[in-house]
Amino acid sequence: MSLDSKILKYQVFGMKSTGKNWVLLIPFTLVSLILVIVPLLMIFIKAFVPASETTVADNWAIIDGFIWQKILISFIIAVLTTVVCILIAYPFAYFLSTSKNKVFKTIVIFIATAPVWTSFLVKLVGLKTFFDICAGYNNSTYGNLWTILGLIYLYLPFMIMPLYSVLNDMPKNLIFASYDLGYGPFKTFFKVTLPYTKIALASGITLVFLPALTTVAVPQFLNNNNNGSMIGDIIVDQGEAGLTSDIALARASTLSLVLSLVMLGGFGVYILFHKVIWKHFKTARSKYE
């Protein structure tokens, strides 16, 4: 077979392979279109279309100081939950990955991920009962601390699993090479281990922070304060009222849109910090080292 024939054959099969790859994207595209893009468009339209005998300003009248306070409190609770999950999950996953006993690893992972396999409602009722027993009387959980504890319990497995999967497969020769270069355990962690797991850490943060920010029912179960609800509860309440009220449904859409914009803004700040400010800081630091 001549060289030109081989090149032609490679190009033809390459095009076929590329065509198959595009076919594989069709199910994902359809699911994204139906479950993500279309609902987002409906939320956007509903927020800017006046309900019967109202105006667009009435849709947005719900965005007041109280709502911004709830968004801020929800954001703080989600951040604290995520930070605590990292502080617990990272050393847990790291030391578990260093164990050579596969049976022990399997048992520990099963126990750590047990909350994922049970009903959400059962977990909340169990937590509420446990907290009340610890306090000695019923309905004893007042304050956002109980909400944070509940969120940590619910979402900690989603931080453990990505970190453990990466740390368990991390080549051990990287650690040995770091020690050979004169790095101690502390410097090895920040120079080798932490950069190696940054993608898994980002995945865990996403899987914990976003659900914690928009969580529903957890504050209502675990925080007995009258104003203990988070922004997710308020959106759900407006959505339920929207079954009989067009203005409530429009306001639920408005709240969802504003919360989405806040999350996108936070993500933009993170990208700016990571890509610009942090990169500039590392460049400046390297000049003085």
Side-chain angles (χ1 to χ4, degrees):
M1 182 181 293
S2 65
L3 179 60
D4 292 338
S5 300
K6 291 181 179 180
I7 294 175
L8 180 60
K9 183 178 179 181
Y10 174 81
Q11 291 176 343
V12 171
F13 280 101
M15 290 175 64
K16 289 183 178 179
S17 176
T18 304
K20 292 180 180 179
N21 292 337
W22 280 107
V23 171
L24 294 175
L25 289 176
I26 294 177
F28 174 77
T29 303
L30 290 176
V31 171
S32 299
L33 181 65
I34 296 173
L35 299 181
V36 179
I37 298 176
V38 172
L40 286 177
L41 288 175
M42 293 178 65
I43 289 174
F44 184 84
I45 293 172
K46 198 69 178 177
F48 288 97
V49 173
S52 57
E53 299 181 358
T54 62
T55 63
V56 176
D58 294 324
N59 296 353
W60 288 80
I62 193 172
I63 308 298
D64 54 11
F66 173 77
I67 292 298
W68 285 116
Q69 181 184 16
K70 285 296 181 182
I71 292 176
L72 178 61
I73 293 174
S74 301
F75 184 84
I76 294 173
I77 290 175
V79 169
L80 292 175
T81 300
T82 305
V83 170
V84 175
C85 284
I86 292 174
L87 294 178
I88 297 174
Y90 209 111
F92 177 87
Y94 179 81
F95 289 112
L96 183 62
S97 66
T98 59
S99 174
K100 297 181 180 180
N101 191 327
K102 294 183 179 180
V103 176
F104 173 75
K105 286 184 177 182
T106 302
I107 294 174
V108 172
I109 288 297
F110 175 77
I111 295 174
T113 58
V116 178
W117 311 114
T118 55
S119 168
F120 186 82
L121 181 60
V122 170
K123 287 184 286 189
L124 286 181
V125 173
L127 280 174
K128 176 66 174 175
T129 304
F130 175 73
F131 291 154
D132 287 342
I133 291 175
C134 292
Y137 59 95
N138 293 331
N139 297 324
S140 57
T141 54
Y142 289 88
N144 292 322
L145 175 62
W146 302 103
T147 299
I148 295 173
L149 291 176
L151 292 174
I152 292 170
Y153 170 77
L154 293 172
Y155 297 124
L156 182 60
F158 298 103
M159 183 68 74
I160 291 175
M161 291 310 299
L163 290 172
Y164 171 74
S165 298
V166 174
L167 287 169
N168 192 48
D169 295 334
M170 181 179 176
K172 300 299 184 264
N173 59 351
L174 294 177
I175 305 296
F176 298 146
S178 177
Y179 290 155
D180 291 340
L181 292 173
Y183 289 171
F186 184 80
K187 200 169 185 179
T188 296
F189 173 78
F190 285 99
K191 290 286 188 179
V192 179
T193 307
L194 188 60
Y196 189 86
T197 58
K198 64 180 182 180
I199 296 178
L201 186 60
S203 300
I205 290 173
T206 303
L207 292 173
V208 172
F209 177 76
L210 293 182
L213 178 63
T214 57
T215 190
V216 177
V218 176
Q220 295 177 339
F221 263 89
L222 301 181
N223 188 353
N224 290 320
N225 287 337
N226 293 329
N227 61 344
S229 61
M230 293 172 61
I231 189 63
D233 297 311
I234 297 175
I235 294 176
V236 170
D237 291 340
Q238 290 293 323
E240 291 178 349
L243 296 175
T244 56
S245 172
D246 290 338
I247 185 63
L249 184 59
R251 287 177 174 176
S253 299
T254 302
L255 284 173
S256 301
L257 181 60
V258 169
L259 187 59
S260 300
L261 292 175
V262 169
M263 289 189 291
L264 287 175
F267 181 73
V269 171
Y270 166 77
I271 292 296
L272 177 65
F273 175 82
H274 182 71
K275 296 294 185 181
V276 180
I277 300 176
W278 180 249
K279 186 177 180 180
H280 178 73
F281 172 76
K282 290 176 65 176
T283 303
R285 187 182 64 177
S286 63
K287 291 181 180 180
Y288 294 97
E289 290 182 349

